[in-house]
Amino acid sequence: MSDHLLSTKGFTRDRGVALLDVAEDMADTQNRQVKKLPTLRGTTIVNLFFEDSTRTRISFEAAAKRLSADVITFSAKGSSVSKGESLQDTAQTLQAMGADGIVIRHSSSGAAHVLATSGWTRAGIVNAGDGTHEHPTQALLDAFTIRKRRHGDDSRGRDLEGVCVVIVGDILHSRVARSNIWLLTALGASVHLVAPPTLLPTHTEGWPVTTGIDLDEAVDGGPDVVMMLRVQRERMTEAFFPTAKEYATLYGLSVARADRLPASSLVMHPGPMNRGLEIAGAVADSPRSTVLEQVQNGIGVRMAVLYDVLAGERAA
């Protein structure tokens, strides 16, 4: 059991595989007629979202409810936060209300860590995305999806040793890329980053990755997985590429590029997609695409995370 899930940095192979195996068990329960488990009955989970999100918020809500937790969803818009209330005040208010777990999404990198270490609340904290820092449950569901596609019902106990993953696009602003780098490499995969020079972080010396600026070269290398990232215009404060058309030409996964991939290669995207910009619609809808599987697998993975964080002594 863990007190919090803030980051995938520091994950060991064994911890990653164990959490993915629990997610397998949780996913199996979702194929039954009665999908609810009594595991977190009597536990209160607050979804504390300071940023807009649809799929992540709904996924966490579904996961918590299927574990029989009581769920409170808090949106910063129209709340006391919009009137100037601080994160500390919000956390202390939720503590006074008896929150056992808090799932937080925030525009500031490190917000989840602050909440977990400040002493403002005794709740278990799950990071649902903080600024450009990390998004650990997205990385977990991506790893789960890759493992499931490769090994099917024989996935339990397996890592991703020997899997080559190419991550393409807005690496600079991507918390999904960072969480995937730490988790996928801990599980034995190799990770290669491809982006325009302006969208590659300048300091990647300590990262267990290789980097490049040529997508065609990466595609022709025959990777097992190509993970396309959304161009995050809302986080861009300046022009990082001349035009959308030029970006799509040089860094979009077109039908022609996808056709050059090995037949077994997977195409992933964390969503929401900019169709026609980072990925062609026909590629996103192709059999090699795992986009909808990632959404489906997210519920079982987040059930496993909530179980891991909250089903120990805190929930007792």
Side-chain angles (χ1 to χ4, degrees), residues 44-46 48 50 72 74 79-81 84-102 115 118-123 125:
T44 299
I45 297 174
V46 177
L48 184 60
F50 291 86
I72 300 171
F74 176 102
S79 72
S80 299
V81 173
E85 182 173 88
S86 68
L87 180 60
Q88 178 180 353
D89 293 331
T90 302
Q92 290 174 332
T93 298
L94 296 177
Q95 177 62 39
M97 292 178 177
D100 299 292
I102 297 175
L115 198 58
S118 61
W120 301 331
T121 176
R122 294 187 299 276
I125 307 301

Side-chain angles (χ1 to χ4, degrees), residues 14 21 23 38 42 61 82 94 123 164 167-168 184 186 194 236 256-257 283 285 297:
D14 288 347
D21 286 352
E61 281 184 15
S82 63
L94 296 177
C164 175
I167 303 178
V168 184
L184 294 177
V194 177
M236 294 183 181
R257 284 191 174 113
V283 177
D285 299 329
N297 293 337

Side-chain angles (χ1 to χ4, degrees), residues 33-270:
Q33 186 172 359
V34 179
K35 295 179 171 60
K36 269 201 169 188
L37 300 173
T39 314
L40 294 182
R41 184 176 292 153
T43 300
T44 299
I45 297 174
V46 177
N47 287 329
L48 184 60
F49 277 61
F50 291 86
E51 275 189 332
D52 290 336
S53 169
T54 302
R55 64 188 67 213
T56 302
R57 176 178 53 79
I58 290 174
S59 184
F60 268 110
E61 281 184 15
K65 288 178 179 178
R66 289 178 189 179
L67 291 170
S68 300
D70 298 316
V71 182
I72 300 171
T73 296
F74 176 102
S75 174
K77 285 186 177 179
S79 72
S80 299
V81 173
S82 63
K83 301 172 187 173
E85 182 173 88
S86 68
L87 180 60
Q88 178 180 353
D89 293 331
T90 302
Q92 290 174 332
T93 298
L94 296 177
Q95 177 62 39
M97 292 178 177
D100 299 292
I102 297 175
V103 178
I104 180 172
R105 169 170 285 210
H106 202 285
S107 59
S108 296
S109 299
H113 178 78
V114 169
L115 198 58
T117 59
S118 61
W120 301 331
T121 176
R122 294 187 299 276
I125 307 301
V126 176
N127 183 3
D130 60 330
T132 59
H133 177 229
E134 284 220 36
H135 193 351
T137 60
Q138 180 68 45
L140 283 162
L141 73 88
D142 290 342
F144 182 97
T145 302
I146 296 169
R147 193 175 78 156
K148 198 71 172 172
R149 272 283 188 117
R150 289 177 69 84
H151 302 296
D153 293 337
D154 194 31
S155 292
R156 283 178 178 80
R158 293 181 179 268
D159 58 20
L160 299 178
E161 188 68 38
V163 176
C164 175
V165 180
V166 174
I167 303 178
V168 184
D170 187 1
I171 310 291
L172 181 65
H173 301 97
S174 178
R175 52 197 177 201
V176 172
R178 285 164 176 77
S179 286
N180 265 302
I181 287 165
W182 305 122
L183 180 63
L184 294 177
T185 54
L187 292 171
S190 63
V191 176
H192 180 62
L193 308 179
V194 177
T198 52
L199 290 176
L200 274 174
T202 53
H203 302 293
T204 58
E205 295 86 358
W207 292 13
V209 300
T210 55
T211 62
I213 60 172
D214 189 334
L215 177 56
D216 288 305
E217 182 181 339
V219 164
D220 292 336
D224 299 296
V225 180
V226 178
M227 184 181 296
M228 306 304 296
L229 299 174
R230 182 172 65 86
V231 175
Q232 301 190 48
R233 297 178 186 274
E234 73 277 10
R235 299 189 200 282
M236 294 183 181
T237 55
E238 53 191 285
F240 287 87
F241 48 86
T243 65
K245 183 177 180 181
E246 180 173 312
Y247 182 90
T249 300
L250 294 176
Y251 294 99
L253 189 59
S254 63
V255 172
R257 284 191 174 113
D259 285 345
R260 301 207 313 267
L261 290 168
S264 60
S265 294
L266 306 180
V267 172
M268 308 186 77
H269 195 298

